[in-house]
Amino acid sequence: GHQISSQDANFHHHKICPLCIAVDGIYDASWHLRVVKHCPIHKIRLIGTCGACGKGLGILRPGPGRCRCGATVSLQEAKRTVCTQAVGELLQVVRHRLFDDPSLASCPGSLRVFEEVGLPALLALIHRLRKFVQGQWQPDTRRVVHQEEDRALDVVAEALQCWDQGIAVVQSILTGIPSSKA
């Protein structure tokens, strides 16, 4: 029932958590959101390509954990990359807002301030902050520093966890410049 922009969702290239598929046999709707690169439940990287043939996981395949070539998606690939605790909790908030049902997805205590923020607004906030961190202007060197998307999301997640400490702390984390005592 959420109205999100097309930049927030990806329906052409599927990503899956092989652990969710293997244990529960579920396909989670949050995996369609572009910001979700790790499973909000298991914290492992979502798999988007087949380890056997190297092709992307399309919608037409023999089963949730299988590729069109017939190979089973490997759990070992996903376990190599685990997200930080801050990113995991941010993804739990995104999933919580997506489902709007605490019995399906709860909101971690450190990010309760975002519990009532609508999904479109939350995704827009994450997207804009991530873009800011990725292409951040460094006044001392007069250049733009481009950070990889995963590292930028780590910084955003850490900053949002400190939201209740005030904008100076959040800004300090986002920019990497210590805030002054004044």
Side-chain angles (χ1 to χ4, degrees), residues 67-125:
C67 176
R68 285 174 282 198
C69 74
T72 302
V73 177
S74 168
L75 181 58
Q76 297 308 316
E77 290 179 50
K79 282 188 171 179
R80 282 189 236 142
T81 310
V82 178
C83 66
T84 64
Q85 181 177 341
V87 169
E89 289 180 0
L90 181 58
L91 297 179
Q92 284 177 340
V93 172
V94 168
R95 190 170 184 268
H96 171 72
R97 295 311 311 138
L98 174 67
F99 290 116
D100 278 332
D101 183 347
S103 68
L104 294 176
S106 61
C107 185
S110 61
L111 294 166
R112 287 240 188 256
V113 68
F114 298 102
E115 189 171 30
E116 298 302 320
V117 174
L119 181 64
L122 180 62
L123 293 175
L125 175 66

Side-chain angles (χ1 to χ4, degrees), residues 16-27:
I16 65 168
C17 170
L19 194 54
C20 283
I21 300 286
V23 173
D24 302 325
I26 64 158
Y27 189 92

Side-chain angles (χ1 to χ4, degrees), residues 14-68:
H14 287 226
K15 303 172 290 189
I16 65 168
C17 170
L19 194 54
C20 283
I21 300 286
V23 173
D24 302 325
I26 64 158
Y27 189 92
D28 197 283
S30 69
W31 302 341
H32 283 294
L33 299 173
R34 289 190 195 271
V35 72
V36 178
K37 306 277 189 215
H38 290 82
C39 174
I41 299 165
H42 300 107
K43 314 298 184 266
I44 61 175
R45 179 165 291 282
L46 297 176
I47 300 295
T49 56
C50 174
C53 72
K55 293 186 179 176
L57 300 176
I59 194 165
L60 300 174
R61 51 185 200 269
R66 300 184 58 118
C67 176
R68 285 174 282 198

Side-chain angles (χ1 to χ4, degrees), residues 90 126 129-130 133 152-161 174:
L90 181 58
I126 294 168
L129 290 177
R130 185 178 47 80
V133 171
L153 188 60
D154 289 343
V155 172
V156 169
E158 182 183 337
L160 293 179
Q161 292 224 330
L174 291 173

